[in-house]
Amino acid sequence: MKFFIDTADIEEIRDLASTGLVDGVTTNPSLIAKSGRNFLEVVAEICEVVDGPVSAECVALDFETMLKEGRKLSKIADNIAVKVPLTEAGLKTCKALSDDGIMVNVTLCFSAAQALLAAKAGATFISPFVGRLDDIGQDGMDLIADVVTIYENYDFATEVLVASIRHPVHVVQAAKMGAGVATLPPKVLRQLFGHPLTDKGLDGFMKDWAATGQSIL
Ligand code: G3P
């Protein structure tokens, strides 16, 4: 399973990339606004830090303008994945960009039917939002299970990129379902490292080691 990080905070990205666990980055207009940075500049910087796909989202809602935006974004770096919303215009843009060999991440997916359309439009990634479905009383992970099954049934090359992840359980469930990618808020990636028994065990080892009076170096 690939891990992308869901942030436009360049310091967080640098820090987490140094772990060797980051396979890509996703951004969206809200994350760009939160970063307080110029969109094109920060995305270019992210592409220099991370080798894998970096999603940059179009903001136009009509096909012609979205396509122009997508083409411009794709020129920032070779590892740009243009992000388009799951609308009719978004999927038309997806098809046109994919036909040109540009990676496309189709975002704001909330149903299996939408995911099926995105795969047929040639999406590189489909981003179902699990946390936002949970928020309205539906089980977001049910959608992941459905999309993984449908894509397997038809051998679609589109990768399932689990988005709107809120906690480590989402990550483990997505991995058990065989989703290809999870995009994690930095906090969730850090949470994956932790277990209270690891902390407790390490504490015990350190106390016992100190009592030996030895050092390794
Ligand atoms: O980047 C898309 C998605 O991961 C957003 O998540 O937490 O705003 O629902 P969230």
Side-chain angles (χ1 to χ4, degrees):
M1 173 182 243
K2 286 178 246 178
F3 283 169
F4 291 0
I5 38 176
D6 200 25
T7 183
D9 181 331
I10 191 75
E11 292 315 318
E12 285 277 38
I13 292 166
R14 277 188 215 287
D15 190 38
L16 289 169
S18 72
T19 64
L21 296 171
V22 174
D23 303 300
V25 173
T26 51
T27 68
N28 63 39
S30 304
L31 294 170
I32 295 295
K34 197 173 161 197
S35 78
R37 295 278 314 274
N38 172 278
F39 178 32
L40 301 180
E41 281 176 19
V42 76
V43 167
E45 236 175 280
I46 296 169
C47 288
E48 282 173 18
V49 175
V50 174
D51 291 336
V54 174
S55 292
E57 188 158 342
C58 295
V59 290
L61 299 179
D62 67 285
F63 168 63
E64 285 78 14
T65 322
M66 205 187 296
L67 187 58
K68 276 188 203 154
E69 288 181 350
R71 290 212 165 110
K72 180 170 177 179
L73 292 172
S74 74
K75 292 190 172 72
I76 294 174
D78 288 345
N79 55 331
I80 283 285
V82 175
K83 215 169 174 187
V84 298
L86 210 153
T87 59
E88 196 172 325
L91 291 190
K92 274 176 75 175
T93 306
C94 173
K95 179 80 176 80
L97 294 173
S98 307
D99 285 350
D100 286 350
I102 295 166
M103 287 191 286
V104 182
N105 176 359
V106 177
T107 189
L108 290 168
C109 170
F110 293 96
S111 79
Q114 289 180 318
L116 181 55
L117 293 182
K120 286 179 67 67
T124 315
F125 303 105
I126 181 68
S127 290
F129 278 30
V130 296
R132 293 192 194 187
L133 280 170
D134 293 353
D135 289 344
I136 61 159
Q138 292 181 29
D139 188 341
M141 296 314 300
D142 285 349
L143 173 57
I144 301 303
D146 285 348
V147 178
V148 167
T149 302
I150 290 168
Y151 283 10
E152 276 174 6
N153 285 349
Y154 294 97
D155 238 349
F156 282 124
T158 305
E159 288 196 78
V160 180
L161 192 169
V162 183
S164 187
I165 281 179
R166 300 281 160 77
H167 47 69
V169 177
H170 276 150
V171 184
V172 174
Q173 288 177 326
K176 285 165 87 171
M177 288 170 185
V181 191
T183 189
L184 314 174
K187 180 183 158 205
V188 176
L189 179 49
R190 292 202 171 87
Q191 284 175 327
L192 295 180
F193 286 95
H195 196 286
L197 289 179
T198 305
D199 297 340
K200 192 178 168 203
L202 195 56
D203 193 43
F205 288 159
M206 291 305 100
K207 279 190 184 121
D208 292 341
W209 177 249
T212 71
Q214 301 180 50
S215 69
I216 295 176
L217 300 177

